[in-house]
Amino acid sequence: MILKKFKSTAINYVVSLQEIVSLYQRFCQLDRNAKGFISADEFLSVPEFAMNPLSQRLLKMVDGLNFKDFVAFLSAFSAKASVQQKIQLIFKVYDSDGNGKVSFNDILEVLRDLSGSFISDNQREQVLTQLLKEAGYLRDSYLMLDDFIKKLKSNLCSTATTAHCLLQWQTLLEETCKRKRSFWIA
């Protein structure tokens, strides 16, 4: 029955029927109480997820997912997913309040999650201000999904994985830091 339900939508999720069966088995393992959805605590039982510096942001996106939503979420991590699908997921990671736009503070929070205490808040703000300026945005600008798609599609994310897109974005930020030696004050 589960295969019949997803057969028509497997293409939308860029996963094969065999992958859907595998995902369903994993979903059932995570859904320990057989509620039909996976809670944030159940997601945290996956070590790779729990160790991710963006796990708290991702938890907001995955808490309470039913199986269909679980497949849709994970499909963005597939090598078969389009660049646009990957960028849409990245946008959702940055747009934690779900208002459809990403502010300076939204990006700053992600940078804080990614860099921890490696650099100070002041240094992060300076780097981000410079990066946005170089991209043609002001500190008080809002980035919409179309902006993300345009900027990331042309500059980054030419590779196959969503995780790699995120790493490329982080690398771009780090390279901006290194170019601005004044940010690396001990």
Side-chain angles (χ1 to χ4, degrees), residues 1 14 20 71 81 95 100 108-109 114 122 129 138 143 169:
M1 173 149 151
V14 298
I20 289 174
V71 172
D95 181 23
L108 196 60
E109 287 176 23
L114 290 172
N122 186 40
T129 299
L138 301 174
L143 301 176
W169 178 245

Side-chain angles (χ1 to χ4, degrees), residues 118-128 183-185:
F118 182 65
I119 60 176
S120 71
D121 284 342
N122 186 40
Q123 291 169 322
R124 271 189 284 272
E125 287 183 32
Q126 290 174 350
V127 168
L128 183 53
F183 293 133
W184 300 106
I185 300 169

Side-chain angles (χ1 to χ4, degrees), residues 81-120:
S82 70
V83 171
Q84 185 160 335
Q85 286 174 297
K86 297 168 199 275
I87 293 171
Q88 286 172 335
L89 176 68
I90 293 167
F91 182 81
K92 289 178 183 176
V93 169
Y94 280 83
D95 181 23
S96 64
D97 61 4
N99 67 356
K101 52 189 175 183
V102 174
S103 69
F104 180 88
N105 287 333
D106 290 333
I107 299 172
L108 196 60
E109 287 176 23
V110 172
L111 287 176
R112 192 174 294 118
D113 292 345
L114 290 172
S115 63
S117 60
F118 182 65
I119 60 176
S120 71

Side-chain angles (χ1 to χ4, degrees), residues 82-84 86-87 90 148-149 151-169:
S82 70
V83 171
Q84 185 160 335
K86 297 168 199 275
I87 293 171
I90 293 167
F148 252 65
I149 291 171
K151 291 295 180 186
L152 291 180
K153 204 172 194 179
S154 64
N155 297 327
L156 307 169
C157 300
S158 58
T159 58
T161 68
T162 303
H164 197 241
C165 285
L166 282 168
L167 287 174
Q168 285 179 307
W169 178 245

Side-chain angles (χ1 to χ4, degrees), residues 20-67:
I20 289 174
V21 170
S22 177
L23 287 172
Y24 185 70
Q25 291 169 344
R26 184 64 174 148
F27 180 85
C28 291
Q29 288 173 346
L30 291 172
D31 183 15
R32 292 179 288 227
N33 298 328
K35 302 173 299 290
F37 64 90
I38 302 174
S39 69
D41 289 338
E42 290 167 329
F43 266 102
L44 285 173
S45 71
V46 177
E48 297 83 2
F49 191 85
M51 293 180 353
N52 187 312
L54 298 175
S55 64
Q56 292 306 309
R57 290 182 161 274
L58 293 169
L59 281 177
K60 292 177 186 177
M61 296 170 63
V62 301
D63 190 25
L65 288 183
N66 63 27
F67 178 64

